[in-house]
Amino acid sequence: MFRQKMEKAAKKRQSNIILALDLAPASSRVLLSQSLKILDLVHPALCAVKLNRQAVLPLGLFDGVRKIITKAHDLGLPTIMDAKINDIGNTNRAIAQYYFKAGFGAVIASPFIGWDEGLQPVFDVAQKMKRGVILLVYMSHKGAVEGFGQMVQDHATRQLVPQYRIFAEKALKWNADGAVVGATYPDKIREVYSVLKEKVPIYSPGVGAQGGDVHASMKAGSSYLIVGRAIVDSRNPAKTAESIRNAAWRNLQVRTEKNE
Ligand code: XMP
């Protein structure tokens, strides 16, 4: 459901850019009004909005965050909670339920915790509430190599393989709505794409502020780009968002035509 919702929004809006609405710490009142203002400015260039705990902590899930979700939905933008869910199943279920109840269309979760008594309850609750689960596969920051990039012995096959490769296969097996691979690692995107093809879309954060490149990650296989500071901190957020959108969308069209 969520996967289709994203595809529909992207097609209708001719954009595969997800805004990471991460603002520098300020009072709740200022954060809320800035968030709504940025959405007003940049929404024509977006296909979705992503929030994380940086917003939930000061704004409150059922207070300021709900207002942002409502605004995004009124503008036709699906919403993603970058919760990186990472606990035992019992608390994961409650966490996911709260985020979905507040209105989020999908949550991001960490596959490090496994399925049984880990992520299964999150996928169950998502299915029940017709929402999505997006899995981390290879994060965008430098230290990602220490966890996601390690060579590990596969629990099932006993083969030595990179951790992210196992996570990519889990994204397929668990029927995740998306897999996060940093735009900062086009080679990893390419490798994960060779596993997922078009069955599970790749979401890539890290464009701009973290050094990721729009063309390189789109060419490697990303379906959506998650962009925060490059837009939010720009002097002209609307213009910046528009130019990132144009570059990314052109690349996606070329790939779609090639695949047809
Ligand atoms: P910037 O400002 O660097 O913000 O464009 C990036 C946004 O994406 C989030 N982020 C990630 N989220 N997996 C995720 O689920 C990742 O590998 C990852 N890397 C960055 C970050 O929290 C911010 O909102």
Side-chain angles (χ1 to χ4, degrees):
M1 276 283 286
F2 183 75
R3 208 181 308 177
Q4 281 86 42
K5 216 176 188 178
M6 284 295 293
E7 280 168 17
K8 217 169 137 188
K11 208 168 176 186
K12 185 167 175 202
R13 308 173 69 88
Q14 306 263 291
S15 168
N16 61 335
I17 303 302
I18 299 166
L19 177 69
L21 200 40
D22 304 331
L23 303 182
S27 73
S28 308
R29 192 180 50 79
V30 169
L31 283 173
L32 180 60
S33 73
Q34 280 183 348
S35 300
L36 299 176
K37 192 171 151 202
I38 288 174
L39 275 183
D40 271 330
L41 286 173
V42 304
H43 75 87
L46 307 178
C47 70
V49 178
K50 180 186 85 67
L51 295 182
N52 69 25
R53 282 164 290 189
Q54 184 174 336
V56 177
L57 289 172
L59 294 176
L61 181 58
F62 293 99
D63 191 359
V65 167
R66 181 121 81 173
K67 289 181 183 132
I68 296 173
I69 293 172
T70 303
K71 168 103 181 171
H73 291 176
D74 287 348
L75 294 167
L77 298 167
T79 49
I80 299 166
M81 176 60 206
D82 193 350
K84 298 187 176 74
I85 293 177
N86 197 27
D87 203 340
I88 57 165
N90 186 50
T91 48
N92 291 340
R93 181 189 299 107
I95 289 166
Q97 258 167 352
Y98 280 126
Y99 286 133
F100 293 149
K101 217 169 156 195
F104 282 106
V107 291
I108 296 180
S110 169
F112 270 109
I113 56 173
W115 182 252
D116 285 340
E117 298 180 10
L119 285 185
Q120 183 176 20
V122 176
F123 277 84
D124 285 350
V125 103
Q127 196 178 27
K128 221 176 269 169
M129 296 177 76
K130 298 195 167 65
R131 310 298 168 94
V133 182
I134 298 167
L135 283 189
L136 296 179
V137 170
Y138 198 101
M139 286 185 68
S140 58
H141 65 300
K142 287 205 176 82
V145 65
E146 295 173 36
F148 297 91
Q150 285 191 110
M151 291 300 282
V152 295
Q153 194 178 38
D154 187 296
H155 171 71
T157 63
R158 303 276 165 211
Q159 301 274 336
L160 212 54
V161 273
Q163 182 69 79
Y164 62 89
R165 190 136 187 142
I166 298 176
F167 289 162
E169 277 153 18
K170 285 192 194 298
L172 268 183
K173 187 173 165 196
W174 298 348
N175 195 22
D177 293 271
V180 182
V181 185
T184 38
Y185 298 103
D187 56 329
K188 301 291 186 289
I189 297 174
R190 200 165 295 111
E191 198 178 335
V192 171
Y193 183 78
S194 74
V195 175
L196 303 178
K197 306 281 184 336
E198 298 288 330
K199 286 181 232 149
V200 177
I202 296 176
Y203 286 66
S204 294
V207 165
Q210 294 182 62
D213 177 69
V214 173
H215 298 278
S217 57
M218 289 306 303
K219 281 210 166 75
S222 305
S223 285
Y224 301 100
L225 299 183
I226 297 171
V227 190
R229 288 164 289 176
I231 294 175
V232 167
D233 296 343
S234 149
R235 276 210 196 141
N236 189 335
K239 206 167 156 197
T240 306
E242 191 59 42
S243 85
I244 296 174
R245 178 267 278 274
N246 289 340
W249 189 250
R250 248 195 326 269
N251 272 281
L252 191 63
Q253 296 321 295
V254 172
R255 190 164 86 225
T256 311
E257 279 162 23
K258 256 193 207 160
N259 285 340
E260 278 169 1

CSV table of all heavy atoms in Angstrom, one decimal, residues 1 100 121-133 175:
chain,number,residue,atom,x,y,z
A,1,MET,N,0.8,-1.2,0.0
A,1,MET,CA,0.0,0.0,0.0
A,1,MET,C,0.9,1.3,0.0
A,1,MET,O,0.7,2.1,-0.8
A,1,MET,CB,-0.9,0.0,1.2
A,1,MET,CG,-2.2,-0.7,1.1
A,1,MET,SD,-3.4,0.1,0.2
A,1,MET,CE,-4.0,1.4,1.3
A,100,PHE,N,1.9,5.5,13.6
A,100,PHE,CA,0.9,5.3,12.6
A,100,PHE,C,-0.4,6.1,13.1
A,100,PHE,O,-1.1,6.7,12.3
A,100,PHE,CB,0.6,3.9,12.4
A,100,PHE,CG,1.7,3.1,11.7
A,100,PHE,CD1,1.9,1.8,12.0
A,100,PHE,CD2,2.6,3.8,10.8
A,100,PHE,CE1,3.0,1.1,11.4
A,100,PHE,CE2,3.6,3.1,10.2
A,100,PHE,CZ,3.8,1.7,10.5
A,121,PRO,N,6.5,-7.8,14.7
A,121,PRO,CA,5.4,-7.0,15.2
A,121,PRO,C,5.2,-5.7,14.5
A,121,PRO,O,4.1,-5.2,14.3
A,121,PRO,CB,5.7,-6.8,16.7
A,121,PRO,CG,6.7,-7.8,17.1
A,121,PRO,CD,7.5,-8.1,15.8
A,122,VAL,N,6.3,-5.1,14.0
A,122,VAL,CA,6.2,-3.8,13.3
A,122,VAL,C,5.6,-4.1,11.9
A,122,VAL,O,4.7,-3.3,11.5
A,122,VAL,CB,7.6,-3.2,13.1
A,122,VAL,CG1,7.5,-1.9,12.3
A,122,VAL,CG2,8.2,-2.9,14.5
A,123,PHE,N,6.0,-5.1,11.2
A,123,PHE,CA,5.4,-5.4,9.9
A,123,PHE,C,3.9,-5.8,10.1
A,123,PHE,O,3.1,-5.5,9.3
A,123,PHE,CB,6.2,-6.6,9.2
A,123,PHE,CG,7.4,-6.1,8.5
A,123,PHE,CD1,8.6,-5.9,9.2
A,123,PHE,CD2,7.4,-5.8,7.2
A,123,PHE,CE1,9.8,-5.4,8.5
A,123,PHE,CE2,8.5,-5.3,6.5
A,123,PHE,CZ,9.7,-5.2,7.1
A,124,ASP,N,3.6,-6.5,11.2
A,124,ASP,CA,2.2,-6.9,11.5
A,124,ASP,C,1.3,-5.7,11.6
A,124,ASP,O,0.3,-5.6,11.1
A,124,ASP,CB,2.1,-7.8,12.7
A,124,ASP,CG,2.7,-9.2,12.5
A,124,ASP,OD1,2.9,-9.6,11.3
A,124,ASP,OD2,2.9,-10.0,13.4
A,125,VAL,N,1.8,-4.8,12.5
A,125,VAL,CA,1.0,-3.6,12.8
A,125,VAL,C,0.9,-2.8,11.5
A,125,VAL,O,-0.2,-2.2,11.3
A,125,VAL,CB,1.6,-2.9,14.0
A,125,VAL,CG1,2.3,-1.7,13.7
A,125,VAL,CG2,0.5,-2.5,15.0
A,126,ALA,N,1.9,-2.7,10.8
A,126,ALA,CA,1.9,-1.9,9.5
A,126,ALA,C,0.8,-2.5,8.5
A,126,ALA,O,0.1,-1.7,7.9
A,126,ALA,CB,3.2,-1.9,8.9
A,127,GLN,N,0.8,-3.8,8.5
A,127,GLN,CA,-0.1,-4.4,7.5
A,127,GLN,C,-1.6,-4.2,8.0
A,127,GLN,O,-2.4,-3.9,7.2
A,127,GLN,CB,0.2,-5.9,7.5
A,127,GLN,CG,-0.5,-6.6,6.3
A,127,GLN,CD,-0.2,-8.1,6.2
A,127,GLN,OE1,0.1,-8.7,7.2
A,127,GLN,NE2,-0.2,-8.6,5.0
A,128,LYS,N,-1.7,-4.3,9.3
A,128,LYS,CA,-3.1,-4.1,9.9
A,128,LYS,C,-3.6,-2.7,9.6
A,128,LYS,O,-4.7,-2.5,9.3
A,128,LYS,CB,-3.0,-4.4,11.4
A,128,LYS,CG,-4.2,-5.2,11.9
A,128,LYS,CD,-4.1,-5.5,13.3
A,128,LYS,CE,-3.5,-6.9,13.6
A,128,LYS,NZ,-3.1,-7.1,15.0
A,129,MET,N,-2.7,-1.7,9.8
A,129,MET,CA,-3.1,-0.3,9.6
A,129,MET,C,-2.8,0.2,8.2
A,129,MET,O,-3.0,1.4,8.0
A,129,MET,CB,-2.3,0.5,10.7
A,129,MET,CG,-2.7,0.1,12.1
A,129,MET,SD,-1.8,1.0,13.4
A,129,MET,CE,-2.6,2.6,13.4
A,130,LYS,N,-2.5,-0.7,7.3
A,130,LYS,CA,-2.2,-0.3,5.9
A,130,LYS,C,-1.1,0.8,5.8
A,130,LYS,O,-1.3,1.8,5.1
A,130,LYS,CB,-3.5,0.1,5.2
A,130,LYS,CG,-4.6,-1.0,5.1
A,130,LYS,CD,-5.6,-0.6,4.2
A,130,LYS,CE,-6.6,-1.7,3.8
A,130,LYS,NZ,-7.4,-2.2,4.8
A,131,ARG,N,0.0,0.5,6.5
A,131,ARG,CA,1.1,1.5,6.4
A,131,ARG,C,2.3,0.7,5.9
A,131,ARG,O,2.3,-0.4,5.7
A,131,ARG,CB,1.4,2.1,7.8
A,131,ARG,CG,0.2,2.7,8.5
A,131,ARG,CD,-0.5,3.8,7.7
A,131,ARG,NE,-1.8,4.1,8.3
A,131,ARG,CZ,-2.0,5.1,9.2
A,131,ARG,NH1,-1.0,5.8,9.7
A,131,ARG,NH2,-3.2,5.2,9.7
A,132,GLY,N,3.5,1.5,5.9
A,132,GLY,CA,4.7,0.9,5.3
A,132,GLY,C,5.8,0.7,6.3
A,132,GLY,O,5.8,1.4,7.4
A,133,VAL,N,6.8,-0.1,6.0
A,133,VAL,CA,8.0,-0.3,6.8
A,133,VAL,C,9.2,-0.2,5.8
A,133,VAL,O,9.2,-1.0,4.8
A,133,VAL,CB,8.1,-1.6,7.5
A,133,VAL,CG1,9.3,-1.7,8.4
A,133,VAL,CG2,6.8,-1.8,8.4
A,175,ASN,N,9.3,-8.4,2.5
A,175,ASN,CA,8.5,-7.5,1.7
A,175,ASN,C,8.4,-6.1,2.2
A,175,ASN,O,7.3,-5.5,2.4
A,175,ASN,CB,7.1,-8.2,1.6
A,175,ASN,CG,6.3,-7.5,0.5
A,175,ASN,OD1,6.8,-6.9,-0.5
A,175,ASN,ND2,4.9,-7.6,0.6
